[in-house]
Amino acid sequence: MSRFIVEFINVRTGNDNKSSFYLEQVLSTFSFPIDLNTKWKPNGLTVAGGNGKGHGLNQLNCPFGICVDDDNQCIYIADCGNHRIVQWKYDAKSGQIVVDGMASFLKIMNQPTDVIVDKRTGFLIISDWENKNVIPWRCRNGTITPVTIFDIDCYGLTMDNNGALYVSDCKNHAVRRWEIGKKEGVVVAGGNGEGNQLNQLNFPTHLFVDDECSLYVSDNYNHRVMKWLKGATEGIVVAGGQGQGDSLTQLSYPQGVIVDHMSNVYVADSGNHRIMRWSKGSTEGQIILGGNGKGYKSNQFSGVDGLSFDRQGNIYVVDWDNHRVQKFEIDSS
């Protein structure tokens, strides 16, 4: 692990007020007014893929995680089935391969499940699930140099406003955090074996951290989303937790999760092919997108995974079994 830490920290040295940078980065992502009255147009626009399963530049193959980069007017996609990370510019008809995991006999990346951007360092940070590595990639003069956290059953990734990296260690039912200046990761959620108690997780996947360093975890096999306050030894159920099902109190294999400034939780309810919103303290969610059965229409999904907002409040949804990414615009009518 030390190789990753040394390389990752080297580009962050200096007296340039790191915390202020990361706080600005996080807050800029959510510079839109969203509340419980906000609605989105029910029909999505395909902004990546949507041309069937394949490895062409206009295709995806079971995409998972997504990262919206407003500064560079693009989205990055963990194109899991194609073992690559692709970049799609806004309004582009095809993508560009950023990291090709199968480009050589080394097979440097196998089934990536998530990708995030650290804008200060220039890294793309990738969850290389099958190889059990977290790979930050940086481009210098047209070359890419990998540095890695090794031997972790990684799935989801996120960063807090201090630049600490969080990784869901799905098969060990824990979330680990790597802070700048530290050589080892520490467990910050779960880590007490597989289970459904408040101090346990069962196959955690996607993550989100707010500006108070509270961690939200899609607790996939427990069909719930958990919130772990900084330093807490137990989590709080903020969505689902009533067993697997399709009622408004239930989730089915939740994946992507994101939280707005009002602490409303948005969940990619994968098994139910819908996006739900759970207000703070509520035991019942609201369907905001999908929920029209499994399908390929613009108001339907076939499995959902990654979830993200852009600065305007539009929602991007990874519709993984339809091999596409859908954009849902805010309905201002």
Side-chain angles (χ1 to χ4, degrees), residues 18-28 160-162 211:
K18 295 184 288 293
S19 295
S20 295
F21 176 88
Y22 282 102
L23 182 57
E24 180 182 351
Q25 181 174 331
V26 171
L27 291 179
S28 67
D160 66 23
N161 53 20
N162 296 309
D211 53 11

Side-chain angles (χ1 to χ4, degrees), residues 66-113:
I66 184 176
C67 178
V68 175
D69 185 356
D70 279 299
D71 289 340
N72 292 307
Q73 297 287 290
C74 69
I75 56 177
Y76 293 96
I77 304 164
D79 191 9
C80 183
N82 283 323
H83 314 288
R84 67 189 185 185
I85 304 299
V86 292
Q87 179 198 67
W88 285 65
K89 291 288 188 180
Y90 291 172
D91 300 322
K93 301 299 182 182
S94 62
Q96 174 185 355
I97 299 174
V98 179
V99 183
D100 189 348
M102 308 300 280
S104 72
F105 70 93
L106 294 174
K107 293 183 173 59
I108 55 176
M109 191 170 60
N110 192 348
Q111 297 185 19
T113 53

Side-chain angles (χ1 to χ4, degrees), residues 50-62:
N51 296 297
K53 178 181 179 180
H55 61 270
L57 291 180
N58 68 338
Q59 294 177 303
L60 298 169
N61 182 359
C62 296

Side-chain angles (χ1 to χ4, degrees), residues 205-261:
T205 55
H206 286 287
L207 308 171
F208 180 87
V209 63
D210 65 21
D211 53 11
E212 295 179 348
C213 292
S214 293
L215 176 68
Y216 295 79
V217 184
S218 275
D219 191 9
N220 191 265
Y221 287 2
N222 281 327
H223 313 292
R224 66 187 183 185
V225 174
M226 301 286 287
K227 177 181 180 179
W228 292 68
L229 300 172
K230 186 175 182 180
T233 57
E234 290 187 348
I236 304 164
V237 178
V238 293
Q242 302 297 318
Q244 182 183 10
D246 61 2
S247 77
L248 294 181
T249 65
Q250 295 176 304
L251 297 170
S252 177
Y253 299 107
Q255 290 286 3
V257 58
I258 199 165
V259 182
D260 66 25
H261 281 316

Side-chain angles (χ1 to χ4, degrees), residues 34-36 40 207-208 210 215-218 224-227 236-240 251 254-269 275-282 284-288 307 309 315:
I34 283 184
D35 57 31
L36 289 176
W40 289 264
L207 308 171
F208 180 87
D210 65 21
L215 176 68
Y216 295 79
V217 184
S218 275
R224 66 187 183 185
V225 174
M226 301 286 287
K227 177 181 180 179
I236 304 164
V237 178
V238 293
L251 297 170
Q255 290 286 3
V257 58
I258 199 165
V259 182
D260 66 25
H261 281 316
M262 304 298 293
S263 297
N264 301 309
V265 179
Y266 300 77
V267 186
D269 189 10
I275 307 300
M276 298 193 72
R277 174 170 57 195
W278 296 68
S279 62
K280 185 176 181 180
S282 176
E284 184 175 288
Q286 173 191 13
I287 300 171
I288 60 168
L307 189 64
F309 288 114
I315 297 181

Side-chain angles (χ1 to χ4, degrees), residues 128-141:
D128 183 13
W129 184 51
E130 192 65 29
N131 284 332
K132 300 184 179 182
N133 297 327
V134 176
I135 310 174
W137 292 85
R138 63 179 175 187
C139 297
R140 284 186 173 176
N141 300 322

